Structure formats: structure tokens, C-alpha cells
Amino acid sequence: MLLPQRDSVSPRPVRRTRRVALTVATAALVAAVLSTSDAGVGSVTRGGTDTTSVAYSAEATAASETLSAVNAFLATLSSTQQSTVQASRSQSNLSQWSNLPDGLFTRAGLRMDTLSSTQQSAVLAILQAALSDEGYEQVTGITTADGVLHDTTGSDDYGSDHYWIRILGTPSSTGQWTVQYGGHHLAVNITLTGDTMTLAPTLFGVQPATYTLNGVSYEPLAGETDKAFAVIQSLDSTQLAAAVLDTAVTEIILGAGQDGKTLAYEGVQASTFTTAQKTLLLDLVTEWISPLNDEQAASKLESAEANLDSTYFAWSGSTSSDQPIYYRVQSPDFTIEFAHQQNMGGTSHIHAIYRETGNDYGAGD
């Protein structure tokens, strides 16, 4: 099978640092585009090139490549399989995802273990087109972990190929449509609205959080874990008191089945942070935005930085790196939650969610 196996595992090794930001070329492009605000015009020319148009072109390319990959996948399917994998883009269909294994939740679409090797390859090509290299590694790291869980428990509820693909709406270059890929501890919602893409909402979980294959250790959510501890451990006593929630929280609140809900801002406001602390917080936020392909993530990262002073960081649990915790990051653009499952494996079992304010499933596009 083309899914990650023991002799061809693609998730990244434990503690290996993921790319902190965009490629130099993309970052420079975005900086040039955003400089238009100083000129008071809608575009800026550098060396005869309209960089606003170039930025839009880069986004359009990423969207076009994703559309092409989806159409190539559909072309590998029988008519029956096409009918099974495609559905209307209704809210009930959009919301049909969960962190639970198949034995506890009914999914729709096509499961990877029912597909041929060619069809599996076509599914992975969709993920590679829509996601960054880091995002693709993260997804395959999570699914591989579920294979490890299967081998450890012997339960058929788990498996590296127990992940489903579903396409909601009609794939096109102008309309709005969504590709869903998920299963136990994973729900990736890739929504395209013309040339614009979002991954919100996306649920990332993993169990075991760290595992070893072929003598190499892997930790798919290492950055999301370590960089949060770096932020909390950088705070002074006043900031820490503001960050710690009054009531203990042990599970994500805006997970599956919580579409349309919001949370009040809580925690310490980043406007009180030093420059070094702001850098640490932005580094953490980048871990959550960078799974989307670089071209589409660029504007989201720039907005996150622009709104950093209006961002809140909240915490529940110990500040010791080896203890289970919950944290939340809220900005005008997004809400991030992360929770170790304290009664079901502790630090070896994680649930996490990324949502965009007013833009889940591309609602704001």
C-alpha cells in the first residue's frame, strides 16, 4: 500500500524543528504586497512586476493544483465510487467528522483500505497539493501513529489506512467546495472558494504522541507542544497569573460537533509581551497555520502577525514540559486549542483544533 508503512515512513523525527515561517521568496513577496498600504494603492510594482498580481497568481496556482489533483483522483474511480465519495456541501455533511475511531463514529465517503494503490496514490496527491511539506508530514505522521496503535492494542478500530476521503460540492475553479480527509484523531477540511483556500476547521490529534519505527523516533505534534511550553515558560509572574485559567480545562471545547460556537477571550494579552515573547508566540501560531500550502498560508501568517497584540494566550495545567496541559490561542482571525488527554494516556494522547473566526469551511470567503 502507498500509505506510510514501517519500511517507508514519512513523518518527521522527534524534536526536529519544523520550518518556522514561509520560504524566503514567499515571505519577501508578501512583504512587498503588504507595502501597498504605505502607497495608498491597490498594487505595487517592483522591477516592472505587479506583486499583488503575483501573489494572487501564486494562490491561484496552489488552488489550481489542488483542483487538478482532485479531478485526477475522481478519474480513477468507478461510477459507484464517484457517487459514494461525492455529496452535497450541506452543513450536516460538512460537520460529519470526529476525533473518534470508526467503531464509535459513522463516516461517509471512501476509506483508504478500500482503494487500489493507484487510487490511494491519487488521494495522497491531493494532500500534497493542498498542504505544505510540513502539513503533509504531519498528516501522515498522525495516520502512521494510528497504525502503531493498532499493532499495540490489536484493535481493528485503528489503522494507518482507516482514513476517509469525501468531496462536498462540485470541484471547480470558481465555486466553493470542500475536500475532507479524516478518521481517528484527524479531520482535515480543505475548502476552496475560487483561488482562496482554508483548512479551517482542522482537528489534529495523535496517539501515541511519540513512537519509534525502524529505530527512528517520531512526534507529529512536537512543535505544537514544545513551542507552547516555550511561551508559558517565558512569562513573568504577572503574565503567568493572567494566562492561567481560573477553572481547569482538560479537553478542547470547539472540537467535533461544535461548529458555529465561539469562546470569550481569556488569558494573557500579547500586547503585554516583550518582543522576544511575541516572537515565541508567533512561532507557535505558525505551527498551526503552516500546514496549509505556503502560497495560501502567506496572507494568514501576515494577518496573524498584524493582529498579535490583540491575541490572547491561555493555559491550564503545570508549566513543566513533561506534564499534561491545555492551552488556547485566540486572535481576531482564529482559535487554537490543544489538550493532553489526562485520563486516557496523558502526554501520550493529544486532541487539538484549529478554527478561523467566521471562516470555517470558507464561510467568510
Side-chain angles (χ1 to χ4, degrees):
M1 304 180 73
L2 295 178
L3 296 172
Q5 300 295 318
R6 281 171 170 65
D7 58 352
S8 59
V9 175
S10 60
R12 63 190 170 85
V14 61
R15 300 299 184 226
R16 180 173 133 201
T17 302
R18 286 169 59 188
R19 183 172 58 214
V20 172
L22 303 170
T23 62
V24 173
T26 305
L29 172 62
V30 173
V33 172
L34 290 183
S35 70
T36 62
S37 59
D38 296 330
V41 294
S43 64
V44 62
T45 300
R46 295 287 185 269
T49 300
D50 183 340
T51 53
T52 303
S53 298
V54 172
Y56 289 149
S57 177
E59 289 188 351
T61 298
S64 177
E65 290 176 350
T66 303
L67 174 60
S68 294
V70 169
N71 285 333
F73 164 65
L74 290 173
T76 70
L77 304 180
S78 68
S79 58
T80 299
Q81 288 175 314
Q82 288 181 3
S83 297
T84 301
V85 81
Q86 293 183 281
S88 65
R89 197 176 176 278
S90 64
Q91 184 57 52
S92 60
N93 284 336
L94 288 169
S95 300
Q96 194 174 353
W97 53 268
S98 173
N99 63 286
L100 296 172
D102 286 351
L104 298 175
F105 184 82
T106 301
R107 292 179 168 85
L110 293 171
R111 203 167 82 166
M112 290 291 275
D113 60 350
T114 68
L115 303 178
S116 69
S117 60
T118 297
Q119 292 167 337
Q120 289 177 4
S121 180
V123 171
L124 297 182
I126 295 171
L127 298 178
Q128 289 172 320
L131 305 177
S132 65
D133 291 345
E134 292 82 3
Y136 181 76
E137 288 180 357
Q138 187 151 317
V139 167
T140 57
I142 290 168
T143 59
T144 301
D146 216 54
V148 173
L149 188 60
H150 168 269
D151 292 346
T152 302
T153 64
S155 173
D156 289 335
D157 282 344
Y158 314 120
S160 62
D161 54 3
H162 289 194
Y163 289 84
W164 299 70
I165 182 161
R166 196 182 194 196
I167 300 168
L168 304 179
T170 302
S172 73
S173 60
T174 57
Q176 187 171 64
W177 51 284
T178 298
V179 177
Q180 295 185 316
Y181 183 79
H184 186 219
H185 286 147
L186 181 68
V188 180
N189 291 287
I190 306 165
T191 295
L192 291 86
T193 308
D195 294 338
T196 303
M197 297 174 65
T198 181
L199 296 183
T202 282
L203 180 140
F204 286 137
V206 66
Q207 185 185 19
T210 303
Y211 56 91
T212 301
L213 295 176
N214 297 327
V216 180
S217 294
Y218 298 92
E219 187 175 0
L221 299 182
E224 291 82 353
T225 305
D226 297 344
K227 293 179 181 181
F229 277 108
V231 174
I232 197 69
Q233 292 170 359
S234 77
L235 303 184
D236 63 31
S237 58
T238 301
Q239 292 170 324
L240 180 61
V244 175
L245 295 168
D246 294 334
T247 302
V249 182
T250 59
E251 177 60 293
I252 60 174
I253 301 170
L254 299 182
Q258 304 303 312
D259 288 348
K261 297 183 180 180
T262 59
L263 296 173
Y265 285 111
E266 293 184 279
V268 60
Q269 190 169 356
S271 59
T272 69
F273 283 14
T274 65
T275 298
Q277 289 171 329
K278 289 180 180 180
T279 298
L280 291 174
L281 180 58
L282 187 60
D283 199 9
L284 172 61
V285 169
T286 299
E287 288 289 323
W288 293 91
I289 295 177
S290 63
L292 182 61
N293 65 77
D294 292 345
E295 295 84 355
Q296 294 283 338
S299 61
K300 295 180 186 293
L301 287 168
E302 288 292 340
S303 184
E305 184 171 11
N307 287 316
L308 200 61
D309 280 352
S310 300
T311 300
Y312 286 75
F313 180 74
W315 189 271
S316 182
S318 171
T319 60
S320 177
S321 300
D322 61 348
Q323 296 298 309
I325 55 93
Y326 166 93
Y327 73 81
R328 185 189 311 156
V329 185
Q330 293 170 277
S331 94
D333 295 330
F334 58 79
T335 297
I336 294 163
E337 292 185 279
F338 174 106
H340 286 121
Q341 300 304 290
Q342 299 186 22
N343 297 322
M344 294 182 289
T347 58
S348 70
H349 187 176
I350 298 170
H351 292 171
I353 189 77
Y354 168 81
R355 289 185 179 272
E356 291 180 352
T357 307
N359 196 46
D360 280 352
Y361 311 110
D365 291 332

